[in-house]
Amino acid sequence: MLRSLSADDPRFKTVHFRDGLNLLIAETTPLSRRTESRNGAGKSSVIELLHFLLGSDATKHICTNKHLKDTTFRLEMDWPGQTEPLRISRTGNSPRRILLNPNIARSYVELQGTNLVGWRELIDQDLFGLPTEHRGVSGRALLSYLIRRESIDGFIDPTRWTSRPISSVDISTNLAYLLGQDWQLADRHRDINKRDSMRRELRKVAKDPAWGSLVGNAAELRGRTLVVKADLERLSRQVREFHVVPEYETLKQRADELTKSIQAMSNADIADQRNLEDVETALTSETDVDIDYLRPVFEEVEIMLPDHVQHRFSEVQSFHEAVIRNRRHYLEDELRETRERLQERKEKRRVLGTEQQEILKQLSEGGALESLEILHRAVAAKEAELAALSQRIEALEDLEATTQDIKQARADLVQKMSRDLVERRQQEAEVSTLFLEYVRRLYGSERSAYLTFVATETGLRITPVIDHDASSGIGRMKIFCFDLAMAVVAHRYGRAPDFLVHDGYLYDGVDARQVAHALDLGAEVARDENMQYIVTMNSDDVAKAASYGFDADRYTIEPRLTDRGESGGLFGFRFG
């Protein structure tokens, strides 16, 4: 049991605990009502100091406040195997150094003290009876059930000691230990979860874009592999059949020149063909020039110039005939030359065409060295893609096999846990009966309440149930009944020490009648089970409980705290 909480600062108000129910009361004042807080009195600080002295982390703890860090705080408590109380001392400026008196540490140096790790090991083994190897269960987690902290939302869910992220395995394993279930079996989910976490991480890697296009499973990857293999075979065949053409670029350039020449000759043929048609038409339509219209003129002047005129008319006729002959000769020459050009280009085009076909044949049967290198690079790329696909298939096949293994492992573990729950029905019935009894003490014999123990794929799920427990008040009393039943059965079988501590926050919003019943029940159970139940409460809540017959004076301990003045609180002075 806890005996006293003190400090080397004379202003600090030493708290003296005793057996049974302990009420540490903080007086209500106008200041309290105005601020809606009693933190100035320090009653919640008692909870934080108990955790500090029982091995909690000191990060951002009240004891590391600049006004308190040089203060040495002390807790005296009964310790298993010791006839005299153990004094624990710890200071905010040296939080990893724990002084114990008397010397109970396994490896302890009186002047230096034990370290925080060693102190926690003592708590594990001596206070909670944990074996040397106790993965998944820790004295610190178990203390967080026995001394719930409002500062980390310890009063939201009966089965959780905090709202901060914590695994379901940690919760179920620690609860299983306190409630007499197979905690080691419950902890096996940790290994399965670790494997499953690794599987998910590997699957993320397998789906990474760096592996190539996203494919959902190994079967789809195998289909993609067939496509890549076909592409690789096609490219490899092209490489095998490929031969490098000497002076490839020169031949290619010559082929281009031939193509241009042939095209130019074809264009010239078109022009000459049109000209040929025009010349042939001109020759066909060409006739002798009619000059008979001049003859009457010469006849009219024949009397005046008879011989002359006749002579001149013959010359004109001869001139016109000569012009026509010359034009015919010119057109015939043009026709002949055009036909010769067409024939010449035809022959030349045939020769160039033959050369072009030969070059194109050479080019089609092979290629340049650069083209071969491009093919080799394409083959290498496909080979790399195929290798990557093979790795992905192997990884995904392993993942798929692992997924099946994990599913099977979970199913096997659920089956084992279910069988174990059947074998431990007596332990389940004991704590569930206590829970029902405590609920009915608060709400009457008609109220139904029970605990469920269910083996699930995520762990052992333990759930306290009270009919019609939707109100916040009943929810708080569910925590009270659950904690009390858990503390009793754990203490009975040596799995926990003999104290339970509640911050008065637990009773906020609870009907005054149920507060009175809960405090009476806590006092009775603590007496009958030889335990200690410590509650820090506000005076107005105590007064409400007293109006229903609760005898608060009988259980009130010193000091009586208040936020009135500078020295009324636990620390004896105010600080920010």
Side-chain angles (χ1 to χ4, degrees), residues 157-426:
D157 185 332
T159 62
R160 297 177 64 93
W161 65 84
T162 179
S163 64
R164 296 172 182 173
I166 185 171
S167 74
S168 59
V169 177
D170 285 332
I171 292 171
S172 62
T173 305
N174 283 280
L175 278 180
Y177 181 79
L178 289 172
L179 298 177
Q181 300 299 319
D182 191 335
W183 58 275
Q184 293 172 314
L185 193 60
D187 189 63
R188 290 186 191 177
H189 279 284
R190 189 182 311 277
D191 294 328
I192 297 177
N193 290 346
K194 186 180 295 185
R195 290 179 61 195
D196 196 30
S197 177
M198 292 177 62
R199 179 192 65 82
R200 288 194 296 270
E201 290 300 318
L202 287 173
R203 190 162 189 83
K204 288 180 183 178
V205 172
K207 289 185 175 183
D208 191 286
W211 286 66
S213 58
L214 179 63
V215 180
N217 53 50
E220 293 175 353
L221 280 174
R222 285 190 288 271
R224 172 63 181 162
T225 299
L226 294 177
V227 175
V228 175
K229 283 183 176 179
D231 291 342
L232 178 60
E233 175 58 29
R234 175 178 54 82
L235 290 170
S236 298
R237 185 172 60 254
Q238 290 179 8
V239 170
R240 290 193 301 270
E241 296 174 354
F242 193 96
H243 68 273
V244 179
V245 176
E247 300 181 351
Y248 178 88
E249 292 299 327
T250 302
L251 288 175
K252 185 174 181 299
Q253 184 177 359
R254 176 56 180 165
D256 292 339
E257 292 174 353
L258 290 173
T259 300
K260 292 178 181 178
S261 297
I262 292 172
Q263 184 63 47
M265 284 188 286
S266 297
N267 293 336
D269 279 357
I270 293 173
D272 278 348
Q273 191 65 42
R274 290 176 180 174
N275 186 51
L276 183 65
E277 292 174 357
D278 292 340
V279 172
E280 288 176 342
T281 301
L283 282 173
T284 301
S285 60
E286 189 69 38
T287 59
D288 293 338
V289 178
D290 184 9
I291 60 172
D292 289 339
Y293 69 92
L294 294 175
R295 188 175 296 276
V297 177
F298 282 96
E299 289 177 352
E300 290 178 359
V301 293
E302 184 177 6
I303 297 174
M304 297 176 60
L305 304 169
D307 295 328
H308 265 323
V309 171
Q310 186 64 36
H311 179 70
R312 297 292 293 171
F313 181 80
S314 298
E315 291 179 353
V316 169
Q317 186 175 17
S318 297
F319 171 76
H320 280 282
E321 290 175 352
V323 169
I324 291 171
R325 277 196 309 275
N326 290 339
R327 178 171 174 76
R328 284 181 180 275
H329 289 318
Y330 171 77
L331 291 175
E332 289 171 353
D333 290 341
E334 181 68 18
L335 183 63
R336 178 177 43 76
E337 291 174 1
T338 300
R339 286 173 175 169
E340 288 176 355
R341 286 198 305 272
L342 287 170
Q343 184 61 35
E344 182 181 349
R345 281 198 294 269
K346 180 179 179 181
E347 180 62 24
K348 190 173 183 179
R349 202 165 47 244
R350 183 187 65 77
V351 173
L352 294 179
T354 301
E355 182 183 356
Q356 182 189 47
Q357 290 178 358
E358 183 63 27
I359 292 175
L360 292 177
K361 181 180 179 182
Q362 293 182 57
L363 293 176
S364 65
E365 291 177 351
L369 182 60
E370 292 82 356
S371 300
L372 181 60
E373 292 175 352
I374 291 173
L375 280 175
H376 278 301
R377 287 197 295 270
V379 169
K382 286 298 178 183
E383 289 175 342
E385 184 179 357
L386 186 62
L389 284 170
S390 299
Q391 291 178 0
R392 290 186 67 186
I393 290 173
E394 183 178 354
L396 285 176
E397 286 177 342
D398 289 343
L399 286 174
E400 290 170 2
T402 301
T403 300
Q404 295 302 318
D405 291 343
I406 290 173
K407 287 183 179 179
Q408 187 61 49
R410 288 195 192 281
D412 293 343
L413 184 54
V414 169
Q415 188 176 35
K416 290 179 182 178
M417 292 176 66
S418 298
R419 287 199 300 265
D420 185 73
L421 287 174
V422 172
E423 296 174 0
R424 295 173 187 265
R425 288 300 186 201
Q426 183 176 350

Side-chain angles (χ1 to χ4, degrees), residues 415-573:
Q415 188 176 35
K416 290 179 182 178
M417 292 176 66
S418 298
R419 287 199 300 265
D420 185 73
L421 287 174
V422 172
E423 296 174 0
R424 295 173 187 265
R425 288 300 186 201
Q426 183 176 350
Q427 291 91 327
E428 177 184 335
E430 182 177 5
V431 66
S432 193
T433 299
L434 285 176
F435 179 70
L436 172 61
E437 177 187 340
Y438 299 159
V439 170
R440 288 183 169 176
R441 285 285 298 272
L442 300 185
Y443 294 101
S445 59
E446 299 303 319
R447 185 60 63 98
S448 176
Y450 51 90
L451 299 180
T452 62
F453 292 74
V454 181
T456 72
E457 290 187 351
T458 57
L460 177 61
R461 186 170 66 235
I462 302 171
T463 308
V465 179
I466 300 178
D467 285 350
H468 311 296
D469 60 353
S471 70
S472 61
I474 294 181
R476 296 290 175 83
M477 289 300 93
K478 181 197 291 186
I479 295 175
F480 167 79
C481 294
F482 179 76
D483 284 359
L484 193 59
M486 176 176 59
V488 167
V489 296
H491 173 59
R492 283 179 180 177
Y493 299 98
R495 294 190 294 269
D498 51 6
F499 55 81
L500 175 66
V501 182
H502 277 153
D503 190 321
Y505 180 81
L506 176 66
Y507 293 93
D508 285 356
V510 179
D511 184 79
R513 185 191 302 272
Q514 273 67 53
V515 174
H517 291 336
L519 293 176
D520 277 330
L521 176 61
E524 179 183 325
V525 170
R527 182 189 67 244
D528 294 345
E529 297 290 337
N530 193 28
M531 293 178 64
Q532 186 180 49
Y533 180 43
I534 300 171
V535 185
T536 64
M537 293 194 74
N538 301 317
S539 58
D540 51 355
D541 291 331
V542 174
K544 292 175 184 178
S547 67
Y548 283 92
F550 174 68
D551 186 3
D553 293 337
R554 179 180 176 185
Y555 303 106
T556 301
I557 61 174
E558 294 297 331
R560 202 172 182 94
L561 305 175
T562 179
D563 56 9
R564 182 186 297 112
E566 291 293 323
S567 61
L570 178 69
F571 297 98
F573 67 100

Side-chain angles (χ1 to χ4, degrees), residues 97-112:
R97 180 170 174 263
I98 313 295
L99 291 175
L100 303 175
N101 187 19
N103 178 357
I104 63 168
R106 310 296 186 261
S107 56
Y108 180 81
V109 179
E110 183 72 30
L111 295 178
Q112 295 180 348

Side-chain angles (χ1 to χ4, degrees), residues 107-169:
S107 56
Y108 180 81
V109 179
E110 183 72 30
L111 295 178
Q112 295 180 348
T114 189
N115 60 29
L116 184 60
V117 174
W119 175 223
R120 289 176 176 175
E121 290 177 353
L122 287 172
I123 291 173
D124 291 342
Q125 297 170 20
D126 291 0
L127 277 189
F128 292 97
L130 289 169
T132 303
E133 296 295 329
H134 52 84
R135 191 188 68 166
V137 180
S138 73
R140 284 300 312 151
L142 300 175
L143 278 169
S144 294
Y145 280 115
L146 299 180
I147 311 176
R148 289 184 184 264
R149 304 164 70 184
E150 191 275 329
S151 61
I152 58 173
D153 299 325
F155 294 100
I156 294 178
D157 185 332
T159 62
R160 297 177 64 93
W161 65 84
T162 179
S163 64
R164 296 172 182 173
I166 185 171
S167 74
S168 59
V169 177

